[in-house]
Amino acid sequence: MATVSEIAPDLFRISTFVPDFNLQFNQFLVRDDEPLLFHTGPRAMFAAVRDAVATLLDPNVVKWIGFSHLEADECGTLPEWQQLAPESMAVCSLVGKLVSIDDCMAVRPALGMKDGDVLNTGKYRFQFLHTPHVPHCWEAGLLFEETQRTLLCSDLFHQSGDVEPATHSDVLGRCRQVLVEYQQGPLANYMPYSTLTEPTLHRLAGLQPKTLATMHGSAFVGDGARALRDLATMFKDVLGPK
């Protein structure tokens, strides 16, 4: 069953905990003139996510369906959402549109965004940030809401467990634990480390986000710039060349 929490004005976290994975899967709904759903969840969660959205607005009026990259929990039910919401459009990087999304996922052609492009949903403005291989995949991109300074940051700050919707406490320790554990098993190298990692995270820190809305685990509310700089240091320590 999905739970719904408002973590910033008009920004709702929809979360489903899967005990078998000890992991939350989070989607984010922006309630505005042109509602935005960021992350769709995998197919098994479609009904639960749809019903959670219905507690906030009519799912048929969702306009934008955003995600970072091609992966089941990011955009696995994009076709189902586009069939449900007849005016909806996928929004992703231009690379994602060209190499994957229009061909094998979207019912209608996606809005392919270039770095720095802005998506207006009404009251809110979302700056698109092309972030190749951060968190992962060539086509990766994130959205930064300029009014409330919220970064929809996909798998960055990944945490395990059935944790609180949002926290002011440092989540870096939780994230480090996950990465160290993953490096010992079949999910090793889930988060790549490349020449792009550190400069991208420092660029995101320069936005000075107040809320970091992460796919797995608690949203972090506080000094997002410091958290992102600390994340860059931790990634280098855990994932960087030895």
Side-chain angles (χ1 to χ4, degrees), residues 13 15-18 21-26 28 153-179 181-182 190-191 212-221 227 231 234-235:
R13 174 186 183 267
S15 182
T16 304
F17 178 63
V18 180
F21 299 148
N22 189 33
L23 194 63
Q24 292 173 333
F25 290 80
N26 302 329
F28 298 94
C153 60
S154 183
D155 293 304
L156 298 179
F157 298 98
H158 176 136
Q159 307 146 56
S160 292
D162 194 11
V163 293
E164 66 272 44
T167 181
H168 294 272
S169 300
D170 182 13
V171 295
L172 204 66
R174 296 179 186 175
C175 180
R176 182 187 182 98
Q177 181 180 358
V178 169
L179 291 182
E181 290 177 355
Y182 277 20
Y190 148 75
M191 199 73 68
L212 301 169
T214 191
M215 160 82 83
H216 305 292
S218 301
F220 173 72
V221 181
L231 184 69
M234 186 270 281
F235 275 4

Short mmCIF file of all heavy atoms in Angstrom, two decimals, residues 13 15-18 21-26 28 153-179 181-182 190-191 212-221 227 231 234-235:
data_model
loop_
_atom_site.label_atom_id
_atom_site.label_comp_id
_atom_site.label_asym_id
_atom_site.label_seq_id
_atom_site.Cartn_x
_atom_site.Cartn_y
_atom_site.Cartn_z
N ARG A 13 5.05 13.11 -1.78
CA ARG A 13 5.84 11.89 -1.89
C ARG A 13 4.88 10.71 -1.76
O ARG A 13 4.17 10.57 -0.76
CB ARG A 13 6.90 11.85 -0.80
CG ARG A 13 7.72 10.56 -0.68
CD ARG A 13 8.60 10.70 0.56
NE ARG A 13 9.50 9.62 0.81
CZ ARG A 13 9.24 8.57 1.59
NH1 ARG A 13 8.06 8.45 2.17
NH2 ARG A 13 10.16 7.64 1.80
N SER A 15 4.90 6.69 -1.53
CA SER A 15 5.93 5.72 -1.19
C SER A 15 5.34 4.34 -0.93
O SER A 15 4.34 4.20 -0.22
CB SER A 15 6.70 6.19 0.05
OG SER A 15 7.74 5.29 0.38
N THR A 16 5.99 3.33 -1.49
CA THR A 16 5.62 1.93 -1.26
C THR A 16 6.85 1.20 -0.75
O THR A 16 7.91 1.22 -1.41
CB THR A 16 5.13 1.27 -2.56
OG1 THR A 16 4.05 2.03 -3.09
CG2 THR A 16 4.69 -0.16 -2.30
N PHE A 17 6.72 0.55 0.40
CA PHE A 17 7.82 -0.22 0.97
C PHE A 17 7.68 -1.67 0.54
O PHE A 17 6.62 -2.27 0.65
CB PHE A 17 7.80 -0.12 2.49
CG PHE A 17 8.88 -0.94 3.15
CD1 PHE A 17 10.22 -0.65 2.92
CD2 PHE A 17 8.56 -1.99 4.00
CE1 PHE A 17 11.23 -1.39 3.54
CE2 PHE A 17 9.55 -2.74 4.61
CZ PHE A 17 10.90 -2.45 4.39
N VAL A 18 8.79 -2.23 0.02
CA VAL A 18 8.83 -3.62 -0.42
C VAL A 18 9.75 -4.39 0.52
O VAL A 18 10.99 -4.27 0.41
CB VAL A 18 9.31 -3.72 -1.88
CG1 VAL A 18 9.35 -5.18 -2.33
CG2 VAL A 18 8.41 -2.90 -2.80
N PHE A 21 12.89 -6.41 -0.61
CA PHE A 21 14.09 -5.64 -0.99
C PHE A 21 14.55 -4.72 0.14
O PHE A 21 15.58 -4.07 0.00
CB PHE A 21 13.81 -4.79 -2.22
CG PHE A 21 13.43 -5.56 -3.46
CD1 PHE A 21 12.57 -5.01 -4.40
CD2 PHE A 21 13.93 -6.84 -3.69
CE1 PHE A 21 12.22 -5.71 -5.54
CE2 PHE A 21 13.59 -7.54 -4.83
CZ PHE A 21 12.73 -6.98 -5.77
N ASN A 22 13.75 -4.64 1.22
CA ASN A 22 14.01 -3.69 2.31
C ASN A 22 14.20 -2.29 1.74
O ASN A 22 15.13 -1.56 2.08
CB ASN A 22 15.24 -4.10 3.12
CG ASN A 22 15.39 -3.26 4.40
OD1 ASN A 22 14.41 -2.83 5.00
ND2 ASN A 22 16.63 -3.02 4.81
N LEU A 23 13.23 -1.90 0.89
CA LEU A 23 13.42 -0.69 0.10
C LEU A 23 12.10 0.02 -0.17
O LEU A 23 11.10 -0.63 -0.46
CB LEU A 23 14.07 -1.07 -1.24
CG LEU A 23 14.67 0.03 -2.10
CD1 LEU A 23 15.83 0.72 -1.39
CD2 LEU A 23 15.16 -0.57 -3.42
N GLN A 24 12.12 1.33 -0.06
CA GLN A 24 10.99 2.15 -0.47
C GLN A 24 11.15 2.56 -1.94
O GLN A 24 12.27 2.85 -2.39
CB GLN A 24 10.89 3.41 0.37
CG GLN A 24 10.53 3.19 1.83
CD GLN A 24 10.62 4.47 2.63
OE1 GLN A 24 11.39 5.37 2.30
NE2 GLN A 24 9.87 4.55 3.72
N PHE A 25 10.03 2.59 -2.65
CA PHE A 25 10.00 3.11 -4.01
C PHE A 25 9.12 4.37 -3.98
O PHE A 25 7.93 4.29 -3.66
CB PHE A 25 9.43 2.08 -4.98
CG PHE A 25 10.35 0.92 -5.22
CD1 PHE A 25 10.43 -0.12 -4.30
CD2 PHE A 25 11.16 0.86 -6.34
CE1 PHE A 25 11.28 -1.20 -4.50
CE2 PHE A 25 12.01 -0.20 -6.56
CZ PHE A 25 12.08 -1.24 -5.64
N ASN A 26 9.71 5.51 -4.30
CA ASN A 26 9.02 6.78 -4.16
C ASN A 26 8.74 7.43 -5.51
O ASN A 26 9.59 7.43 -6.40
CB ASN A 26 9.87 7.75 -3.33
CG ASN A 26 10.19 7.21 -1.95
OD1 ASN A 26 9.41 6.46 -1.37
ND2 ASN A 26 11.35 7.58 -1.43
N PHE A 28 6.91 11.24 -6.96
CA PHE A 28 6.64 12.60 -6.50
C PHE A 28 5.62 13.26 -7.42
O PHE A 28 5.80 13.29 -8.63
CB PHE A 28 7.93 13.42 -6.43
CG PHE A 28 8.92 12.83 -5.46
CD1 PHE A 28 9.89 11.95 -5.87
CD2 PHE A 28 8.81 13.12 -4.11
CE1 PHE A 28 10.77 11.37 -4.97
CE2 PHE A 28 9.68 12.55 -3.19
CZ PHE A 28 10.67 11.67 -3.63
N CYS A 153 15.94 14.17 -7.30
CA CYS A 153 17.30 13.69 -7.51
C CYS A 153 17.42 12.20 -7.75
O CYS A 153 18.51 11.63 -7.65
CB CYS A 153 18.20 14.13 -6.37
SG CYS A 153 17.73 13.55 -4.73
N SER A 154 16.30 11.53 -8.08
CA SER A 154 16.35 10.13 -8.51
C SER A 154 17.05 9.27 -7.46
O SER A 154 16.71 9.30 -6.29
CB SER A 154 17.01 10.05 -9.89
OG SER A 154 17.03 8.74 -10.39
N ASP A 155 18.08 8.50 -7.86
CA ASP A 155 18.71 7.53 -6.97
C ASP A 155 19.79 8.13 -6.07
O ASP A 155 20.36 7.40 -5.25
CB ASP A 155 19.33 6.40 -7.80
CG ASP A 155 18.28 5.55 -8.50
OD1 ASP A 155 17.41 5.02 -7.81
OD2 ASP A 155 18.35 5.42 -9.73
N LEU A 156 20.11 9.40 -6.23
CA LEU A 156 21.07 10.00 -5.32
C LEU A 156 20.51 9.97 -3.89
O LEU A 156 19.32 10.16 -3.68
CB LEU A 156 21.36 11.44 -5.73
CG LEU A 156 22.01 11.63 -7.10
CD1 LEU A 156 22.23 13.12 -7.38
CD2 LEU A 156 23.32 10.87 -7.22
N PHE A 157 21.38 9.68 -2.93
CA PHE A 157 21.02 9.57 -1.51
C PHE A 157 20.13 8.35 -1.23
O PHE A 157 19.33 8.35 -0.30
CB PHE A 157 20.36 10.86 -0.99
CG PHE A 157 21.26 12.05 -1.07
CD1 PHE A 157 21.17 12.94 -2.13
CD2 PHE A 157 22.22 12.28 -0.10
CE1 PHE A 157 22.01 14.04 -2.22
CE2 PHE A 157 23.07 13.38 -0.18
CZ PHE A 157 22.97 14.27 -1.24
N HIS A 158 20.28 7.31 -2.03
CA HIS A 158 19.58 6.05 -1.84
C HIS A 158 19.77 5.53 -0.41
O HIS A 158 20.88 5.45 0.09
CB HIS A 158 20.16 5.05 -2.86
CG HIS A 158 19.64 3.66 -2.77
ND1 HIS A 158 19.29 2.94 -3.89
CD2 HIS A 158 19.42 2.81 -1.73
CE1 HIS A 158 18.88 1.73 -3.54
NE2 HIS A 158 18.96 1.64 -2.23
N GLN A 159 18.65 5.16 0.23
CA GLN A 159 18.66 4.61 1.59
C GLN A 159 17.78 3.37 1.65
O GLN A 159 16.76 3.32 0.96
CB GLN A 159 18.12 5.64 2.59
CG GLN A 159 18.79 7.00 2.53
CD GLN A 159 17.79 8.09 2.85
OE1 GLN A 159 17.15 8.08 3.91
NE2 GLN A 159 17.62 9.04 1.93
N SER A 160 18.14 2.42 2.46
CA SER A 160 17.33 1.23 2.67
C SER A 160 16.37 1.44 3.84
O SER A 160 16.49 2.39 4.61
CB SER A 160 18.22 0.01 2.94
OG SER A 160 18.97 -0.33 1.80
N GLY A 161 15.42 0.50 3.98
CA GLY A 161 14.52 0.48 5.12
C GLY A 161 13.23 1.25 4.90
O GLY A 161 13.08 1.99 3.93
N ASP A 162 12.30 1.04 5.82
CA ASP A 162 11.01 1.74 5.78
C ASP A 162 11.14 2.98 6.64
O ASP A 162 10.73 3.01 7.80
CB ASP A 162 9.91 0.81 6.31
CG ASP A 162 8.52 1.35 5.98
OD1 ASP A 162 8.41 2.30 5.19
OD2 ASP A 162 7.53 0.79 6.52
N VAL A 163 11.73 4.01 6.07
CA VAL A 163 12.14 5.19 6.82
C VAL A 163 11.10 6.31 6.72
O VAL A 163 10.12 6.21 5.98
CB VAL A 163 13.52 5.68 6.33
CG1 VAL A 163 14.60 4.66 6.67
CG2 VAL A 163 13.51 5.93 4.82
N GLU A 164 11.32 7.37 7.46
CA GLU A 164 10.38 8.48 7.52
C GLU A 164 10.31 9.21 6.18
O GLU A 164 11.26 9.19 5.41
CB GLU A 164 10.77 9.44 8.65
CG GLU A 164 12.08 10.17 8.45
CD GLU A 164 13.30 9.41 8.96
OE1 GLU A 164 13.42 8.20 8.72
OE2 GLU A 164 14.17 10.08 9.55
N PRO A 165 9.18 9.88 5.88
CA PRO A 165 9.04 10.55 4.59
C PRO A 165 10.10 11.61 4.34
O PRO A 165 10.60 11.74 3.23
CB PRO A 165 7.64 11.17 4.65
CG PRO A 165 6.90 10.32 5.64
CD PRO A 165 7.91 9.91 6.65
N ALA A 166 10.42 12.39 5.37
CA ALA A 166 11.41 13.46 5.23
C ALA A 166 12.15 13.60 6.55
O ALA A 166 11.62 13.30 7.62
CB ALA A 166 10.73 14.78 4.86
N THR A 167 13.39 14.04 6.45
CA THR A 167 14.20 14.20 7.65
C THR A 167 15.11 15.41 7.51
O THR A 167 15.52 15.77 6.40
CB THR A 167 15.06 12.94 7.91
OG1 THR A 167 15.82 13.12 9.11
CG2 THR A 167 16.01 12.66 6.75
N HIS A 168 15.40 16.04 8.65
CA HIS A 168 16.41 17.11 8.70
C HIS A 168 17.76 16.54 9.09
O HIS A 168 18.76 17.28 9.10
CB HIS A 168 15.98 18.18 9.70
CG HIS A 168 14.75 18.93 9.29
ND1 HIS A 168 14.79 20.06 8.50
CD2 HIS A 168 13.44 18.69 9.55
CE1 HIS A 168 13.55 20.50 8.30
NE2 HIS A 168 12.72 19.69 8.92
N SER A 169 17.80 15.26 9.44
CA SER A 169 19.05 14.63 9.86
C SER A 169 19.85 14.20 8.63
O SER A 169 19.30 13.92 7.57
CB SER A 169 18.76 13.41 10.73
OG SER A 169 18.04 13.78 11.89
N ASP A 170 21.15 14.12 8.81
CA ASP A 170 22.05 13.72 7.74
C ASP A 170 21.70 12.30 7.28
O ASP A 170 21.59 11.39 8.10
CB ASP A 170 23.49 13.77 8.25
CG ASP A 170 24.51 13.42 7.20
OD1 ASP A 170 24.14 13.37 6.01
OD2 ASP A 170 25.67 13.19 7.56
N VAL A 171 21.52 12.12 5.96
CA VAL A 171 21.20 10.80 5.42
C VAL A 171 22.42 10.15 4.77
O VAL A 171 22.32 9.06 4.23
CB VAL A 171 20.05 10.88 4.38
CG1 VAL A 171 18.76 11.33 5.05
CG2 VAL A 171 20.41 11.79 3.22
N LEU A 172 23.57 10.80 4.86
CA LEU A 172 24.75 10.30 4.17
C LEU A 172 25.20 8.95 4.71
O LEU A 172 25.63 8.08 3.95
CB LEU A 172 25.88 11.32 4.27
CG LEU A 172 26.93 11.22 3.17
CD1 LEU A 172 26.33 11.59 1.82
CD2 LEU A 172 28.12 12.11 3.48
N GLY A 173 25.10 8.77 6.02
CA GLY A 173 25.49 7.49 6.61
C GLY A 173 24.65 6.34 6.09
O GLY A 173 25.18 5.25 5.79
N ARG A 174 23.35 6.57 5.98
CA ARG A 174 22.46 5.53 5.43
C ARG A 174 22.84 5.20 3.99
O ARG A 174 22.86 4.04 3.58
CB ARG A 174 21.01 6.01 5.45
CG ARG A 174 20.39 6.27 6.80
CD ARG A 174 18.96 6.77 6.57
NE ARG A 174 18.29 7.20 7.78
CZ ARG A 174 17.08 7.76 7.80
NH1 ARG A 174 16.45 7.97 6.65
NH2 ARG A 174 16.52 8.11 8.93
N CYS A 175 23.12 6.24 3.22
CA CYS A 175 23.47 6.05 1.81
C CYS A 175 24.79 5.29 1.69
O CYS A 175 24.92 4.37 0.86
CB CYS A 175 23.55 7.41 1.12
SG CYS A 175 23.97 7.33 -0.63
N ARG A 176 25.76 5.64 2.48
CA ARG A 176 27.05 4.96 2.45
C ARG A 176 26.88 3.48 2.75
O ARG A 176 27.48 2.62 2.09
CB ARG A 176 28.01 5.60 3.44
CG ARG A 176 29.40 4.97 3.43
CD ARG A 176 30.29 5.51 4.54
NE ARG A 176 31.60 4.93 4.46
CZ ARG A 176 32.66 5.51 3.89
NH1 ARG A 176 32.54 6.72 3.37
NH2 ARG A 176 33.82 4.89 3.84
N GLN A 177 26.06 3.16 3.75
CA GLN A 177 25.84 1.77 4.12
C GLN A 177 25.28 0.97 2.95
O GLN A 177 25.70 -0.16 2.69
CB GLN A 177 24.88 1.69 5.32
CG GLN A 177 24.61 0.28 5.80
CD GLN A 177 23.66 0.25 6.99
OE1 GLN A 177 23.23 1.28 7.49
NE2 GLN A 177 23.34 -0.95 7.44
N VAL A 178 24.32 1.56 2.23
CA VAL A 178 23.74 0.87 1.08
C VAL A 178 24.81 0.60 0.03
O VAL A 178 24.93 -0.52 -0.50
CB VAL A 178 22.60 1.70 0.46
CG1 VAL A 178 22.17 1.12 -0.89
CG2 VAL A 178 21.40 1.75 1.40
N LEU A 179 25.60 1.61 -0.30
CA LEU A 179 26.60 1.43 -1.35
C LEU A 179 27.65 0.40 -0.96
O LEU A 179 28.06 -0.42 -1.79
CB LEU A 179 27.26 2.77 -1.67
CG LEU A 179 26.39 3.82 -2.35
CD1 LEU A 179 27.19 5.07 -2.64
CD2 LEU A 179 25.77 3.29 -3.63
N GLU A 181 27.23 -2.14 1.06
CA GLU A 181 26.58 -3.45 0.98
C GLU A 181 26.42 -3.89 -0.46
O GLU A 181 26.68 -5.05 -0.81
CB GLU A 181 25.21 -3.41 1.68
CG GLU A 181 25.30 -3.29 3.19
CD GLU A 181 23.94 -3.16 3.84
OE1 GLU A 181 22.92 -3.09 3.10
OE2 GLU A 181 23.88 -3.12 5.08
N TYR A 182 25.98 -2.99 -1.33
CA TYR A 182 25.77 -3.34 -2.73
C TYR A 182 27.08 -3.75 -3.40
O TYR A 182 27.08 -4.62 -4.28
CB TYR A 182 25.15 -2.17 -3.49
CG TYR A 182 23.65 -2.05 -3.36
CD1 TYR A 182 22.95 -2.66 -2.32
CD2 TYR A 182 22.90 -1.31 -4.27
CE1 TYR A 182 21.58 -2.54 -2.20
CE2 TYR A 182 21.52 -1.19 -4.17
CZ TYR A 182 20.87 -1.80 -3.13
OH TYR A 182 19.51 -1.69 -3.03
N TYR A 190 26.26 -0.46 -9.02
CA TYR A 190 24.94 0.14 -9.28
C TYR A 190 25.08 1.64 -9.54
O TYR A 190 24.41 2.20 -10.39
CB TYR A 190 24.07 -0.15 -8.06
CG TYR A 190 23.01 0.85 -7.67
CD1 TYR A 190 21.84 0.96 -8.41
CD2 TYR A 190 23.16 1.66 -6.54
CE1 TYR A 190 20.84 1.85 -8.04
CE2 TYR A 190 22.18 2.55 -6.16
CZ TYR A 190 21.02 2.64 -6.91
OH TYR A 190 20.05 3.52 -6.54
N MET A 191 25.97 2.28 -8.79
CA MET A 191 26.22 3.70 -8.96
C MET A 191 27.60 3.86 -9.59
O MET A 191 28.61 3.56 -8.96
CB MET A 191 26.17 4.41 -7.60
CG MET A 191 25.96 5.89 -7.67
SD MET A 191 24.28 6.39 -8.13
CE MET A 191 23.34 5.86 -6.69
N LEU A 212 15.89 17.59 -0.97
CA LEU A 212 16.41 16.58 -1.89
C LEU A 212 15.42 15.43 -1.89
O LEU A 212 15.29 14.69 -0.91
CB LEU A 212 17.80 16.10 -1.43
CG LEU A 212 18.87 17.19 -1.33
CD1 LEU A 212 20.11 16.67 -0.61
CD2 LEU A 212 19.23 17.74 -2.70
N ALA A 213 14.68 15.31 -2.98
CA ALA A 213 13.60 14.31 -3.08
C ALA A 213 14.15 13.07 -3.76
O ALA A 213 14.32 13.04 -4.99
CB ALA A 213 12.43 14.89 -3.86
N THR A 214 14.44 12.05 -2.98
CA THR A 214 15.14 10.88 -3.48
C THR A 214 14.17 9.73 -3.75
O THR A 214 13.15 9.59 -3.08
CB THR A 214 16.25 10.45 -2.51
OG1 THR A 214 17.07 9.47 -3.13
CG2 THR A 214 15.69 9.91 -1.21
N MET A 215 14.54 8.91 -4.72
CA MET A 215 13.70 7.77 -5.14
C MET A 215 13.53 6.73 -4.04
O MET A 215 12.46 6.16 -3.85
CB MET A 215 14.33 7.12 -6.37
CG MET A 215 13.91 5.71 -6.67
SD MET A 215 12.36 5.58 -7.55
CE MET A 215 12.91 5.82 -9.22
N HIS A 216 14.61 6.45 -3.31
CA HIS A 216 14.61 5.39 -2.30
C HIS A 216 15.04 5.99 -0.96
O HIS A 216 16.18 6.39 -0.79
CB HIS A 216 15.57 4.26 -2.68
CG HIS A 216 15.32 3.68 -4.04
ND1 HIS A 216 14.18 2.95 -4.35
CD2 HIS A 216 16.06 3.72 -5.18
CE1 HIS A 216 14.26 2.56 -5.61
NE2 HIS A 216 15.36 3.03 -6.14
N GLY A 217 14.10 6.05 -0.01
CA GLY A 217 14.43 6.56 1.31
C GLY A 217 13.83 7.92 1.59
O GLY A 217 13.02 8.46 0.83
N SER A 218 14.25 8.50 2.70
CA SER A 218 13.71 9.78 3.15
C SER A 218 14.18 10.93 2.26
O SER A 218 15.34 10.96 1.83
CB SER A 218 14.17 10.08 4.58
OG SER A 218 13.76 9.07 5.48
N ALA A 219 13.29 11.89 2.03
CA ALA A 219 13.73 13.17 1.47
C ALA A 219 14.53 13.90 2.53
O ALA A 219 14.24 13.82 3.73
CB ALA A 219 12.52 13.99 1.05
N PHE A 220 15.56 14.61 2.11
CA PHE A 220 16.37 15.39 3.04
C PHE A 220 15.97 16.86 2.93
O PHE A 220 15.94 17.42 1.83
CB PHE A 220 17.86 15.24 2.74
CG PHE A 220 18.73 16.15 3.56
CD1 PHE A 220 18.91 15.92 4.91
CD2 PHE A 220 19.35 17.26 2.98
CE1 PHE A 220 19.68 16.78 5.68
CE2 PHE A 220 20.13 18.12 3.74
CZ PHE A 220 20.30 17.87 5.09
N VAL A 221 15.68 17.47 4.07
CA VAL A 221 15.31 18.88 4.12
C VAL A 221 16.37 19.61 4.93
O VAL A 221 16.60 19.30 6.10
CB VAL A 221 13.92 19.06 4.76
CG1 VAL A 221 13.53 20.54 4.78
CG2 VAL A 221 12.86 18.24 4.02
N ALA A 227 25.06 18.71 1.65
CA ALA A 227 24.80 17.27 1.50
C ALA A 227 25.35 16.74 0.18
O ALA A 227 25.93 15.65 0.12
CB ALA A 227 23.31 17.00 1.61
N LEU A 231 28.24 14.12 -0.40
CA LEU A 231 27.98 12.92 -1.21
C LEU A 231 29.11 12.70 -2.21
O LEU A 231 29.54 11.56 -2.44
CB LEU A 231 26.64 13.06 -1.93
CG LEU A 231 26.18 11.85 -2.74
CD1 LEU A 231 25.82 10.68 -1.82
CD2 LEU A 231 24.99 12.20 -3.62
N MET A 234 31.95 11.15 -0.38
CA MET A 234 31.65 9.76 -0.03
C MET A 234 31.72 8.86 -1.25
O MET A 234 32.26 7.75 -1.20
CB MET A 234 30.29 9.67 0.65
CG MET A 234 29.96 8.28 1.19
SD MET A 234 29.11 7.25 0.00
CE MET A 234 27.45 7.89 0.16
N PHE A 235 31.17 9.30 -2.39
CA PHE A 235 31.24 8.50 -3.61
C PHE A 235 32.69 8.21 -3.98
O PHE A 235 33.03 7.09 -4.36
CB PHE A 235 30.55 9.23 -4.76
CG PHE A 235 29.07 9.02 -4.86
CD1 PHE A 235 28.37 8.28 -3.93
CD2 PHE A 235 28.36 9.57 -5.92
CE1 PHE A 235 27.00 8.09 -4.02
CE2 PHE A 235 26.99 9.38 -6.04
CZ PHE A 235 26.31 8.64 -5.09
#
